[in-house]
């Protein structure tokens, strides 16, 4: 079982979807929100909205999100954790391009990190499903 105390700041990041259902924006369509979190501090390093009609953020959106994370400390992590079954090919490719190992783990193993962020997002923006 993963836990924040297993990591040092910037050793590993977690990319995860904040919303549990698409965010409906009347004018622009439906969107999902991906967040990037530091595994040690559970600090949200950045967020990116992308079309819910896609399987994940595009290459430019993924690059932007990873650069947001790098901007805080000027460093990239060694590993990027994502939930198993989360299809984000461009995110995987961008991470690999930056020499970041992508590790897929059961989503339940990430809840200790991401649960509070998801709850806060749901509380702020209301039920999304």
């Amino acid at each position: 079982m993963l836990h924040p105390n297993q990591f040092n700041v910037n050793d590993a990041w977690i990319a995860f979807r904040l919303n549990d259902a698409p965010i409906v924006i009347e004018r622009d369509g439906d969107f999902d929100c991906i967040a990037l979190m530091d595994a040690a501090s559970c600090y949200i390093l950045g967020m990116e909205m992308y079309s819910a009609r896609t399987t994940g953020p595009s290459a430019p959106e993924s690059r932007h999100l990873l650069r947001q994370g790098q901007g805080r400390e000027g460093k990239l992590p060694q590993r990027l954790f994502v939930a198993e079954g989360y299809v984000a090919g461009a995110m995987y490719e961008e991470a690999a391009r930056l020499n970041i190992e992508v590790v897929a783990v059961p989503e339940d193993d990430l809840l200790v990190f991401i649960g509070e962020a998801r709850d806060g997002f749901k509380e702020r923006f209301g039920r999304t499903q």
Side-chain angles (χ1 to χ4, degrees), residues 109-129:
D109 288 357
L110 298 177
L111 291 178
V112 68
F113 301 93
I114 67 175
E116 192 173 318
R118 281 185 171 166
D119 291 345
F121 190 86
K122 187 181 287 189
E123 183 179 305
R124 173 76 171 104
F125 294 102
R127 185 183 160 124
T128 57
Q129 200 168 40

Side-chain angles (χ1 to χ4, degrees), residues 15-17 32-35 50 55-57 82-89 91-92 104 107 118:
F16 65 100
R17 194 171 122 180
D32 286 325
C33 183
I34 187 171
Y50 62 94
T55 58
V82 297
E84 288 176 342
Y86 178 70
V87 180
M91 179 65 75
Y92 286 18
E107 187 171 44
R118 281 185 171 166

Side-chain angles (χ1 to χ4, degrees), residues 76-96:
L76 291 168
Q78 295 175 357
R79 288 175 285 173
L80 176 68
F81 289 101
V82 297
E84 288 176 342
Y86 178 70
V87 180
M91 179 65 75
Y92 286 18
E93 291 168 10
E94 286 302 311

Side-chain angles (χ1 to χ4, degrees), residues 50-116:
Y50 62 94
S51 173
R53 292 185 303 251
T54 64
T55 58
S58 66
E61 291 163 338
S62 297
R63 189 174 311 114
H64 183 255
L65 185 60
L66 292 169
R67 292 295 180 203
Q68 282 179 2
Q70 184 181 22
R72 301 288 301 168
E73 299 276 332
K75 292 176 56 180
L76 291 168
Q78 295 175 357
R79 288 175 285 173
L80 176 68
F81 289 101
V82 297
E84 288 176 342
Y86 178 70
V87 180
M91 179 65 75
Y92 286 18
E93 291 168 10
E94 286 302 311
R97 193 178 65 73
L98 295 169
N99 296 318
I100 301 169
E101 176 189 9
V102 179
V103 181
V105 297
E107 187 171 44
D108 287 349
D109 288 357
L110 298 177
L111 291 178
V112 68
F113 301 93
I114 67 175
E116 192 173 318

